[in-house]
Amino acid sequence: MFRQFRFSVVLAAMLLAALVVPVFADSPDPTGGATLEANPNAGLNFSWTLMTGFLVFFMQAGFAMVEVGLSRAKNAVAVLTKNFMDGLIGGLAYWAFGFAFMFGGSALASGLSDGNAFIGLSGFLLGGDAYDVTTMELWFFQMVFAATAATIVSGSLAERTRVPAYLAYSFLVSAIIYPIYGHWVWGGGWLATLPFGAGAKDFAGSGVVHAVGGMVALVGAALVGPRIGKYDAKGKARAIPGHNLTLVVLGTFILFFGWFGFNPGSTMAATDLRISVIAVNTFLGGAAGAVAAVYYSLLKTGKIDVTLACNGALAGLVGITAGCAYVAAWASVVIGVIAAIIMIWAVGFVENKLKVDDVVGAVAVHGFGGLWGLLSVGIFADGTYGGVSGLIVGDTGQIVAQLISMVVVVAWSLLTGYAVFALLKLTMGLRATRKEELIGLDASEHGLDAYAGDIITEEAAAGTLR
Amino acid sequence: MFRQFRFSVVLAAMLLAALVVPVFADSPDPTGGATLEANPNAGLNFSWTLMTGFLVFFMQAGFAMVEVGLSRAKNAVAVLTKNFMDGLIGGLAYWAFGFAFMFGGSALASGLSDGNAFIGLSGFLLGGDAYDVTTMELWFFQMVFAATAATIVSGSLAERTRVPAYLAYSFLVSAIIYPIYGHWVWGGGWLATLPFGAGAKDFAGSGVVHAVGGMVALVGAALVGPRIGKYDAKGKARAIPGHNLTLVVLGTFILFFGWFGFNPGSTMAATDLRISVIAVNTFLGGAAGAVAAVYYSLLKTGKIDVTLACNGALAGLVGITAGCAYVAAWASVVIGVIAAIIMIWAVGFVENKLKVDDVVGAVAVHGFGGLWGLLSVGIFADGTYGGVSGLIVGDTGQIVAQLISMVVVVAWSLLTGYAVFALLKLTMGLRATRKEELIGLDASEHGLDAYAGDIITEEAAAGTLR
Amino acid sequence: MFRQFRFSVVLAAMLLAALVVPVFADSPDPTGGATLEANPNAGLNFSWTLMTGFLVFFMQAGFAMVEVGLSRAKNAVAVLTKNFMDGLIGGLAYWAFGFAFMFGGSALASGLSDGNAFIGLSGFLLGGDAYDVTTMELWFFQMVFAATAATIVSGSLAERTRVPAYLAYSFLVSAIIYPIYGHWVWGGGWLATLPFGAGAKDFAGSGVVHAVGGMVALVGAALVGPRIGKYDAKGKARAIPGHNLTLVVLGTFILFFGWFGFNPGSTMAATDLRISVIAVNTFLGGAAGAVAAVYYSLLKTGKIDVTLACNGALAGLVGITAGCAYVAAWASVVIGVIAAIIMIWAVGFVENKLKVDDVVGAVAVHGFGGLWGLLSVGIFADGTYGGVSGLIVGDTGQIVAQLISMVVVVAWSLLTGYAVFALLKLTMGLRATRKEELIGLDASEHGLDAYAGDIITEEAAAGTLR
């Protein structure tokens, strides 16, 4: 009890702190009149950014459905709780701390003046000068990205992680781990200004969102340990079938749909007509990934594994996320196909070599797929957008920047992820007991059954109904 | 049979009436050329209003999933039928009558000239001068709001209400109850022009949509009576678990997603850059509500109840709906937390004190949450938008207007809701028989099983398949 | 094994071909700067077109949920695989071939110069001059339409069709059948320029998308043959209940939501303010269809069949799709009611007269509903938009053009659909074996169980868990 309480004290303190932030700001433009006058397209670009941000928010439902479907019925409530809460807690953490750490010093909007190449230091709680329509627009779009990074980890930890510990994790990842690496790439930090190519480029977050999430998922799943029964006495991995593949496919559709917010929305401007190229590339990357995975499955086993198709699509989408604005249509197809192949390899690598039990394949899809996305920019960027040119047009500088950002994202995510999960293991405890796990987290941690029967009819039949 | 027939006569008469409305109008602008010339931003604002309206429409799916998940499998078809049809019937009712009652006299668009402070009287069937692009845009956005108000009631009546009676109700609430109160607040009626503060303010409908729906739900559920088995012999409430909590969480995600249409869309203009503040506040209100409910649940019981998390988020969203445009980010968090606390209290109050069986907690979430939303405007409005200032900036007028609108919405909704349900009880009958309820409405009212087994395989196994 | 391999060779060759298409184009505008300068509203219209296109993409999830819900649990994975993959494969086919066949020669955007009245011949692989923001925008919106046409067929073939054959079909329909008829109507082909009325008109695709899909579904289902047990020894049709009606309703909601992209988005411009009228008409058509179907069901059987309500809504939506821009609100209601009546008749006609087993009613909803949509333009178009006038305003030319396009779409779809399915029957085999069908396609073709139990807990209980 007290452990949970400790955490809610933090939340309460945060809210209290918000109250003392000045309500009225001096220079900012909370109504937007001045902004619109200065930029007549602000309305269009706000509309685009918010609407695509809404789609990204909806991806939370997709992650929830994929994970719950791939889990067993006895843990459905635990999975749902994690997925429902992580984005919301992460969003509050991003409001209090994360956004300031990520965009402070970027000068992208009012109230974001203080920060350095390593970390941002202004914009906390959206108070003061950050009470501005442009700052709020930026916050909203960035917050749904932070929430996505947080929820990626959930799937790898399913079915045996204590939910309160997971909730504390989601606060910490959104407040600290995600925004600091994000600052380096998107907030004007040191990776963005590397003296190679155009600096490290990651258009919509193959690295910032997916590789961070995937690598944190790797250490998280390693520290929590595999589910009971995942490995046999000889250490050989066994399949533990999920309880509802219909939800997996529904969730993947929702994620694919949301990705059209994720990637095209990352221009944060509909006046940047490259949005159409981005939408096309996003579709092609995902489609090619799914097709590659399905035909791999057919050739290898003679059967089509629909969960592999879903993960193929997701890997393709993750892979194209960094380069979607910089590459041609054909390159998106190639990137998607390769992403699917990497994902299939990585699933086996994580499960059989690293002996890490990743319930949904998050490490393979988001972690390795995200790294491939970063690399692919250095290969396939064709120089038609943003001055980013890769190997195919003879430029060798960009791939150096990309390789550096890949090394950095792996190191940062593994180290900080380890620190967070090790801390939680020591303080709150990460893992349910063997008994709790065997009867299921729903009964033990939540006191609920996701798919309850009808007690009234049973009582009526038994003659005990009053 | 005849009872249902009676109702379809109304529908047929309505369609017939539509046919005699002139196809061509004189002054209106059905193509939009003149409108665009007069206002070059019309395209942007139409796009914003329609797209956010589509999101609001999608909330119907969210309501359906939440309610079906919290009900038992034997009533799933009945729940789905109500939820699928109420918005569509409500939309037709709003087309025929509701819109005219609500916006007639508002002069907000072509064909809306006639009306008074109590009721609007033009715009019926979108005929004549209302055949205009701006009128149609307004209608669409308002229609999805009317449909939302209608469907809120559904959840409180689940599992024992006769479906044809419910369908008749959804016509009446959208044709009469919702639009008349709506006229008073949004159609230029007497509450909007109260001589306190800026008049009664309800930005996106904490009162107009949610409190109306929630209070009608209260009388509806009271008149239908509790489900068999809900109260034991001593009158103590018992939990009747729903059959699919996965759907409850999916539905809540859909509702949260749709709320980003509901609140930010209510500017009906993307040129109003306050939309970013509204989106941020909407998220923060919902997130804070969910977190408050979860930590309440943890502290009180040591377990996390995911349905409470969902209702916490919804309560926070309902609470922030009235004030989303008028308050700062920190205030949204406070409003959301308080909304969750009120909701938790109200669930117990309705169930244990009023002895009303509200299957999904609609009265607590939408009714009490909506009232809190109205009140919170009078407290937290910071004067940066729309000239609305609450107690925190030292203005005491606004809260008077808010209190009046709260009293009015409770009185109006309870009275008219009682009239409608009492009428339906007398004419069509509200309640399924005991036998029907025990075997489930799906078998008795619909002749369907939502989750049927496979008769063919069974026959093949039994050797009776031909 | 080899049969599947054969098909993947085609895919590989396609990807290879893409690589040799020049990356850089001469005249096109891949960044969009020039386009935005020439048309300051391009950003708004791109935003509108892409966002509505995203909604149309999401309809894939709706089709999947409707079909899986109406099928039996033992075939859920097969249904999901078809629905997940057909749009993605179809999209790749449309990228390689379909788009060029459909819009080549239309001169609607860069790289679409070559083509004739029968077929387009430029724009393959979005290479060369087609690497342009406007061409990409057009492609994206049209691709999601092609994917919709492909997936309509899926439902009629459920539960007994071999999945690899279906995937090959989805390539062929999107590469050839859909785009060629589409070229005639939307790509500047011979139906668009008929000398009657304003030429054949089909605003958002009652014919191009739905009638094509529905008619191909008819031949497909006829060639595959009915499911085992669908007809008794006397040839009388029997109901085979689906396994999850909740998903059917969820899917229908998603489809309805997506339709607001489908129809209003078809202006491809938010500066065309008629979008509000289109949105209103779309809602009214669907709502009227659902209400008509429900009251038909109540009058006929005394019970409400929710699947009929869903199909009524869908039929109304299909019916209003061709005319949504051309008719008044009242006419949309009439069109929706008639569409539902036609659908109900057609379901019986297909099942009992043609003896074709169409699992979801795709032929009735999309095929016959689509034909009615085409016809309704010739009746109800009121001349206020696009110069399209039907019988109600005394013009008799338009209905002639519509009748011609109806005859053509039926002939084209049945003939080419027959050719494709007959070819697949000969080469890959269309139908699962009797044994596979009886045990279910999931176990036989996919080696998966959509709703698996928990092997670990079972083993723990049995004491065999290590």
Side-chain angles (χ1 to χ4, degrees):
Chain A
M1 181 67 66
F2 178 67
R3 282 177 172 165
Q4 285 95 39
F5 186 67
R6 204 186 315 178
F7 181 59
S8 44
V9 166
V10 176
L11 280 174
M14 198 175 88
L15 292 178
L16 219 69
L19 289 170
V20 302
V21 169
V23 174
F24 295 107
D26 314 300
S27 62
D29 179 25
T31 304
T35 301
L36 192 67
E37 206 167 299
N39 174 13
N41 281 321
L44 170 61
N45 291 336
F46 271 53
S47 162
W48 174 251
T49 303
L50 292 175
M51 197 63 75
T52 52
F54 303 158
L55 296 186
V56 178
F57 173 85
F58 193 44
M59 292 174 74
Q60 295 285 332
F63 281 107
M65 292 303 108
V66 167
E67 183 181 339
V68 79
L70 289 173
S71 301
R72 287 160 293 175
K74 68 181 177 184
N75 299 314
V77 171
V79 167
L80 295 164
T81 304
K82 286 192 305 159
N83 278 276
F84 186 69
M85 293 308 298
D86 58 8
L88 303 181
I89 290 178
L92 290 173
Y94 200 73
W95 166 63
F97 305 108
F99 180 64
F101 291 158
M102 189 153 167
F103 287 99
S106 71
L108 286 171
S110 173
L112 301 175
S113 46
D114 301 335
N116 52 49
F118 179 76
I119 194 166
L121 291 164
S122 59
F124 296 99
L125 297 161
L126 289 172
D129 287 351
Y131 189 3
D132 172 279
V133 291
T134 306
T135 313
M136 293 278 210
E137 179 215 19
L138 178 66
W139 183 86
F140 187 85
F141 196 74
Q142 299 300 336
M143 177 275 292
V144 289
F145 274 61
T148 304
T151 204
I152 286 169
V153 177
S154 178
S156 72
L157 304 179
E159 304 205 274
R160 77 279 200 195
T161 309
R162 293 192 62 236
V163 173
Y166 179 79
L167 300 186
Y169 141 80
S170 61
F171 189 92
L172 294 170
V173 76
S174 309
I176 301 171
I177 298 180
Y178 171 82
I180 292 180
Y181 178 74
H183 180 73
W184 301 346
V185 181
W186 289 348
W190 67 276
L191 284 170
T193 51
L194 280 177
F196 304 102
K201 284 290 174 185
D202 184 4
F203 189 72
S206 285
V208 174
V209 178
H210 296 281
V212 166
M215 289 299 139
V216 172
L218 178 59
V219 274
L223 278 171
V224 175
R227 288 168 291 175
I228 296 169
K230 176 64 192 174
Y231 293 96
D232 66 16
K234 293 177 180 167
K236 203 169 141 23
R238 306 162 63 209
I240 302 181
H243 83 288
N244 195 326
L245 300 189
T246 301
L247 296 177
V248 175
V249 172
L250 175 63
T252 308
F253 269 126
I254 292 173
L255 287 171
F256 209 135
F257 175 51
W259 233 289
F260 289 123
F262 207 89
N263 287 2
S266 287
T267 60
M268 293 194 66
T271 47
D272 182 342
L273 301 186
R274 191 77 178 190
I275 52 177
S276 67
V277 177
I278 300 170
V280 169
N281 286 344
T282 300
F283 173 80
L284 290 176
V291 169
V294 158
Y295 283 94
Y296 171 89
S297 172
L298 255 183
L299 289 171
K300 182 107 177 205
T301 67
K303 295 184 190 295
I304 299 177
D305 183 339
V306 73
T307 63
L308 200 58
C310 290
N311 269 347
L314 296 178
L317 289 163
V318 169
I320 197 60
T321 292
C324 55
Y326 307 124
V327 306
W330 69 266
S332 303
V333 173
V334 174
I335 290 170
V337 168
I338 295 175
I341 295 169
I342 291 174
M343 178 274 295
I344 290 170
W345 166 81
V347 164
F349 175 72
V350 170
E351 184 165 288
N352 301 320
K353 298 292 172 199
L354 302 183
K355 302 287 180 194
V356 168
D357 179 14
D358 175 1
V359 177
V360 303
V363 180
V365 168
H366 300 277
F368 287 84
L371 293 176
W372 161 240
L374 289 178
L375 187 68
S376 70
V377 172
I379 302 171
F380 295 105
D382 67 6
T384 57
Y385 185 79
V388 184
S389 299
L391 296 181
I392 64 155
V393 288
D395 199 321
T396 56
Q398 190 62 44
I399 204 166
V400 177
Q402 299 305 113
L403 286 165
I404 294 171
S405 74
M406 288 164 69
V407 171
V408 171
V409 76
V410 171
W412 171 257
S413 307
L414 292 181
L415 283 174
T416 55
Y418 183 85
V420 162
F421 280 109
L423 178 77
L424 293 171
K425 196 168 185 172
L426 280 172
T427 52
M428 303 179 71
L430 276 180
R431 177 105 190 200
T433 65
R434 181 178 175 86
K435 191 181 158 191
E436 286 169 348
E437 189 176 335
L438 280 174
I439 64 171
L441 302 180
D442 293 4
S444 59
E445 274 214 69
H446 299 274
L448 288 170
D449 177 357
Y451 309 105
D454 181 359
I455 54 166
I456 303 303
T457 302
E458 284 156 24
E459 290 175 16
T464 61
L465 181 74
R466 288 163 184 278
Chain B
M1 180 68 65
F2 178 66
R3 281 178 172 166
Q4 285 95 37
F5 186 68
R6 205 188 312 180
F7 181 58
S8 44
V9 165
V10 175
L11 280 173
M14 195 175 90
L15 291 179
L16 218 68
L19 289 170
V20 301
V21 168
V23 174
F24 296 106
D26 312 301
S27 63
D29 179 24
T31 304
T35 301
L36 192 65
E37 207 167 300
N39 174 13
N41 282 320
L44 171 61
N45 291 336
F46 272 53
S47 162
W48 174 251
T49 303
L50 292 175
M51 197 64 74
T52 52
F54 303 158
L55 295 186
V56 178
F57 172 85
F58 192 45
M59 292 173 75
Q60 295 284 331
F63 282 106
M65 292 303 108
V66 168
E67 183 180 340
V68 79
L70 289 172
S71 302
R72 288 161 292 175
K74 67 182 179 183
N75 298 315
V77 171
V79 167
L80 294 164
T81 303
K82 285 191 306 158
N83 278 275
F84 187 69
M85 293 309 299
D86 58 9
L88 303 181
I89 290 177
L92 290 172
Y94 200 71
W95 166 63
F97 305 109
F99 180 65
F101 291 157
M102 188 154 169
F103 287 99
S106 71
L108 286 172
S110 173
L112 301 175
S113 45
D114 302 335
N116 53 48
F118 180 76
I119 193 164
L121 292 164
S122 59
F124 296 99
L125 297 162
L126 290 172
D129 287 351
Y131 188 5
D132 173 279
V133 291
T134 306
T135 313
M136 294 280 209
E137 180 215 17
L138 178 66
W139 183 85
F140 187 86
F141 196 74
Q142 299 300 336
M143 177 275 293
V144 290
F145 274 61
T148 304
T151 204
I152 285 169
V153 177
S154 179
S156 71
L157 304 178
E159 304 205 274
R160 76 280 199 197
T161 308
R162 293 191 62 237
V163 173
Y166 179 79
L167 299 186
Y169 140 80
S170 61
F171 190 93
L172 294 170
V173 76
S174 309
I176 301 170
I177 298 179
Y178 170 81
I180 291 178
Y181 178 73
H183 180 74
W184 301 346
V185 181
W186 289 347
W190 68 275
L191 284 169
T193 52
L194 282 177
F196 303 100
K201 284 289 172 186
D202 184 4
F203 189 73
S206 284
V208 174
V209 177
H210 296 281
V212 166
M215 290 297 140
V216 172
L218 178 60
V219 272
L223 278 170
V224 175
R227 289 168 290 174
I228 296 168
K230 177 65 192 172
Y231 292 96
D232 67 17
K234 293 176 179 165
K236 200 167 143 23
R238 306 162 64 209
I240 302 181
H243 83 288
N244 195 327
L245 300 189
T246 302
L247 296 178
V248 175
V249 172
L250 175 63
T252 307
F253 269 126
I254 293 174
L255 288 170
F256 208 134
F257 175 51
W259 233 290
F260 290 122
F262 207 90
N263 287 3
S266 287
T267 60
M268 292 193 68
T271 47
D272 182 344
L273 301 187
R274 190 78 178 188
I275 52 177
S276 67
V277 177
I278 300 170
V280 169
N281 286 344
T282 301
F283 173 81
L284 290 175
V291 169
V294 158
Y295 283 93
Y296 171 89
S297 172
L298 255 182
L299 290 172
K300 181 107 179 206
T301 68
K303 296 185 189 295
I304 299 177
D305 182 339
V306 73
T307 63
L308 198 59
C310 289
N311 269 347
L314 297 177
L317 289 163
V318 169
I320 197 59
T321 292
C324 55
Y326 307 124
V327 305
W330 68 266
S332 303
V333 174
V334 175
I335 290 171
V337 168
I338 295 175
I341 296 168
I342 290 174
M343 179 275 294
I344 291 170
W345 165 80
V347 164
F349 176 72
V350 170
E351 184 164 289
N352 300 320
K353 298 290 172 203
L354 302 183
K355 302 285 180 196
V356 168
D357 179 15
D358 174 1
V359 177
V360 302
V363 179
V365 169
H366 300 277
F368 287 85
L371 293 176
W372 161 240
L374 288 178
L375 185 69
S376 70
V377 172
I379 301 170
F380 295 104
D382 66 7
T384 57
Y385 186 80
V388 183
S389 300
L391 296 181
I392 63 154
V393 287
D395 198 322
T396 55
Q398 190 62 45
I399 204 167
V400 177
Q402 299 306 112
L403 286 165
I404 294 172
S405 72
M406 288 165 69
V407 171
V408 170
V409 75
V410 171
W412 171 256
S413 306
L414 291 181
L415 282 174
T416 56
Y418 183 84
V420 161
F421 280 109
L423 178 77
L424 292 172
K425 196 168 184 172
L426 280 172
T427 53
M428 302 179 72
L430 276 181
R431 177 107 190 196
T433 65
R434 182 178 174 85
K435 192 181 159 193
E436 286 168 348
E437 189 175 336
L438 279 174
I439 62 169
L441 302 181
D442 292 4
S444 59
E445 274 213 70
H446 298 275
L448 289 171
D449 176 357
Y451 309 105
D454 181 0
I455 54 166
I456 303 300
T457 301
E458 286 157 22
E459 290 176 15
T464 60
L465 182 73
R466 288 162 186 280
Chain C
M1 180 69 67
F2 179 66
R3 280 176 173 166
Q4 285 95 39
F5 186 66
R6 207 186 312 179
F7 181 58
S8 44
V9 166
V10 175
L11 280 174
M14 197 176 90
L15 292 178
L16 220 66
L19 289 170
V20 301
V21 168
V23 174
F24 295 107
D26 313 301
S27 61
D29 178 25
T31 304
T35 301
L36 192 66
E37 206 166 299
N39 174 13
N41 282 320
L44 171 61
N45 292 336
F46 271 54
S47 163
W48 174 251
T49 303
L50 292 175
M51 198 62 76
T52 52
F54 303 158
L55 296 185
V56 178
F57 172 85
F58 193 44
M59 292 174 74
Q60 295 285 331
F63 281 107
M65 292 302 108
V66 168
E67 182 180 341
V68 79
L70 289 172
S71 301
R72 288 161 293 174
K74 67 180 178 183
N75 298 315
V77 172
V79 167
L80 294 164
T81 304
K82 287 192 305 160
N83 279 274
F84 186 69
M85 294 308 298
D86 59 8
L88 302 181
I89 290 178
L92 289 173
Y94 200 71
W95 166 63
F97 304 109
F99 181 64
F101 291 158
M102 189 153 168
F103 287 98
S106 71
L108 286 171
S110 173
L112 300 174
S113 45
D114 303 334
N116 53 49
F118 179 75
I119 194 167
L121 292 164
S122 59
F124 296 99
L125 297 161
L126 289 173
D129 289 352
Y131 188 4
D132 173 279
V133 292
T134 306
T135 313
M136 293 280 210
E137 179 214 18
L138 178 66
W139 183 86
F140 188 85
F141 195 74
Q142 299 300 335
M143 177 274 293
V144 290
F145 274 61
T148 305
T151 205
I152 286 169
V153 177
S154 180
S156 72
L157 304 178
E159 302 205 275
R160 77 279 201 197
T161 307
R162 293 192 62 238
V163 173
Y166 179 78
L167 299 186
Y169 140 80
S170 62
F171 190 93
L172 293 170
V173 76
S174 310
I176 301 171
I177 297 180
Y178 171 81
I180 292 179
Y181 178 74
H183 180 74
W184 301 347
V185 181
W186 289 348
W190 68 276
L191 284 169
T193 52
L194 281 177
F196 302 100
K201 284 289 174 187
D202 184 4
F203 189 73
S206 284
V208 174
V209 177
H210 297 281
V212 166
M215 289 298 139
V216 172
L218 177 59
V219 274
L223 278 171
V224 175
R227 287 168 292 174
I228 296 168
K230 176 65 192 174
Y231 293 97
D232 67 15
K234 291 176 179 165
K236 201 165 143 24
R238 306 162 64 208
I240 302 181
H243 82 288
N244 195 327
L245 300 188
T246 301
L247 296 178
V248 175
V249 172
L250 174 63
T252 307
F253 269 126
I254 293 174
L255 287 171
F256 208 135
F257 175 50
W259 233 289
F260 290 122
F262 207 91
N263 287 3
S266 287
T267 59
M268 292 193 69
T271 47
D272 182 343
L273 301 186
R274 190 77 177 190
I275 52 176
S276 67
V277 177
I278 299 171
V280 169
N281 286 344
T282 300
F283 173 80
L284 290 175
V291 170
V294 158
Y295 283 92
Y296 170 89
S297 172
L298 255 183
L299 291 172
K300 181 107 177 205
T301 67
K303 295 186 190 295
I304 299 178
D305 182 340
V306 74
T307 64
L308 199 59
C310 290
N311 269 347
L314 296 178
L317 288 163
V318 169
I320 197 59
T321 292
C324 55
Y326 307 125
V327 306
W330 68 265
S332 302
V333 174
V334 175
I335 290 171
V337 168
I338 296 176
I341 296 168
I342 290 174
M343 179 274 295
I344 291 170
W345 165 81
V347 163
F349 175 72
V350 170
E351 183 164 290
N352 300 321
K353 298 291 172 201
L354 300 184
K355 303 286 181 195
V356 168
D357 178 15
D358 175 0
V359 177
V360 303
V363 179
V365 168
H366 299 277
F368 287 85
L371 293 177
W372 162 240
L374 288 179
L375 186 68
S376 70
V377 171
I379 301 171
F380 295 103
D382 67 6
T384 58
Y385 186 79
V388 184
S389 300
L391 296 181
I392 62 154
V393 288
D395 198 319
T396 55
Q398 191 62 44
I399 205 166
V400 177
Q402 299 306 111
L403 286 166
I404 293 172
S405 73
M406 289 165 70
V407 171
V408 170
V409 75
V410 171
W412 170 257
S413 306
L414 291 181
L415 282 174
T416 56
Y418 183 85
V420 161
F421 280 109
L423 178 77
L424 292 172
K425 195 168 186 173
L426 279 172
T427 53
M428 302 179 72
L430 277 180
R431 177 110 189 195
T433 65
R434 181 178 174 85
K435 192 182 159 193
E436 287 169 347
E437 189 176 336
L438 280 174
I439 63 171
L441 302 181
D442 293 3
S444 59
E445 275 212 69
H446 298 273
L448 289 171
D449 177 357
Y451 310 105
D454 180 359
I455 54 165
I456 304 301
T457 302
E458 285 157 22
E459 289 176 17
T464 61
L465 182 73
R466 288 162 185 280

